Amino acid sequence: MDATARLLIVDDDPSVRAMLREYLENHAFRVAEAGSGAEMRERIERELPDAVLLDIRLPGEDGLSLARYLREHYDLGIIMVTASGDVIDRVVGLELGADDYIAKPFDPRELLARVKSVLRRLQAKPPAEAPPPAAAKGARQRFGRCELDIDARRLFESDGAEVAMTAMEYELLRVFLANPNRVLSRDQLLMHTRNREWEPFDRSIDIRIGRLRRKIEPEPAGEPRCIRTVRNAGYMFVPDG
């Protein structure tokens, strides 16, 4: 693991930020701080961290909203910090794509172990399967009622109108295109897109598949034909024809 990994601590308590910064810097990490969502966004625009330690209980825009924003826009590690009894917050945080969580009060050594574990998983992300052989550079691949430009990372309707998509949705489309007519478990999808294993209460893949279906299925309100659910197994991309 890279000992000079960049971390961003997002917490409205200056004393907590100072304590964590000192501890993590003593373990050779580069650490920045933010006391609010607005400050977090400013920090990230200046330098993208490898992982964010994100407190849920923030004034204004809370940690869950910020986690959703981070997951939709950046490829980085997210560790949520919750109160010890907030089980629902932990579950929602995982659904939004957080890589891990830690409950207050915590031992800094446990936090260090979780940070290192998330960074190891990010750095060990398995190589993606190659796109189908017919996909020439710049070519668009058919996906339901849309077409995906793999190189440009852009999705288009059949009439040429661009369809907005998140980084996570692009990764899901890419993995499905590389594995047509093959059942992919939630665990496989998370490892290829978020580099972590599926947990029993983690519905982040199901939520994203649902959003993706509304964008690409020929009949969004009908039975899914393009991304099919395989009971007790996962999901399968079925190309047209």
Side-chain angles (χ1 to χ4, degrees), residues 214-226:
R214 290 194 287 273
K215 296 179 180 181
I216 57 89
E217 287 289 343
E219 298 178 11
E223 188 72 18
R225 289 164 38 195
C226 186

Side-chain angles (χ1 to χ4, degrees), residues 36-235:
S36 66
E39 191 174 348
M40 180 200 80
R41 294 169 195 264
E42 292 176 5
R43 288 281 185 183
I44 287 179
E45 287 180 1
R46 278 184 253 162
E47 183 178 38
L48 186 66
D50 296 295
V52 176
L53 182 63
L54 183 58
D55 189 19
I56 284 185
R57 302 301 180 191
L58 291 170
E61 192 173 8
D62 65 24
L64 293 175
S65 298
L66 294 173
R68 181 186 295 109
Y69 169 80
L70 289 172
R71 186 51 72 221
E72 290 179 348
H73 292 83
Y74 301 103
D75 186 14
L76 46 69
I78 302 174
I79 301 175
M80 305 295 297
V81 180
T82 72
S84 59
D86 289 343
V87 177
I88 296 300
D89 282 344
R90 298 178 207 170
V91 173
V92 173
L94 290 172
E95 289 179 348
L96 293 174
D99 297 282
D100 203 350
Y101 66 85
I102 188 168
K104 293 180 178 179
F106 54 80
D107 187 314
R109 292 172 296 182
E110 180 186 358
L111 173 64
L112 178 63
R114 291 182 180 274
V115 167
K116 288 182 175 180
S117 176
V118 166
L119 291 174
R120 276 196 301 269
R121 295 202 300 266
L122 288 171
Q123 293 176 0
K125 188 172 182 177
E129 292 89 341
K137 185 174 180 61
R140 295 182 182 181
Q141 296 297 297
R142 188 75 184 173
F143 206 111
R145 71 170 189 264
C146 296
E147 292 182 337
L148 177 68
D149 186 324
I150 296 176
D151 295 318
R153 302 169 69 100
R154 299 170 70 187
L155 187 66
F156 298 91
E157 292 271 14
S158 56
D159 62 3
E162 185 169 0
V163 180
M165 66 174 175
T166 66
M168 177 71 163
E169 288 169 346
Y170 166 78
E171 292 296 332
L172 283 170
L173 289 173
R174 183 186 55 76
V175 171
F176 278 128
L177 277 171
N179 297 275
N181 299 306
R182 176 184 172 191
V183 178
L184 297 173
S185 68
R186 291 174 176 81
D187 191 59
Q188 289 174 309
L189 290 170
L190 273 171
M191 285 301 295
H192 282 295
T193 57
R194 286 274 62 85
N195 193 38
R196 64 181 176 85
E197 296 178 352
W198 180 74
E199 299 182 16
F201 291 108
D202 189 349
R203 294 188 57 245
S204 59
I205 284 293
D206 303 305
I207 291 170
R208 283 169 172 80
I209 293 292
R211 292 173 180 166
L212 200 52
R213 280 171 167 164
R214 290 194 287 273
K215 296 179 180 181
I216 57 89
E217 287 289 343
E219 298 178 11
E223 188 72 18
R225 289 164 38 195
C226 186
I227 302 177
R228 299 184 185 177
T229 301
V230 181
R231 187 177 178 84
N232 298 324
Y235 295 98

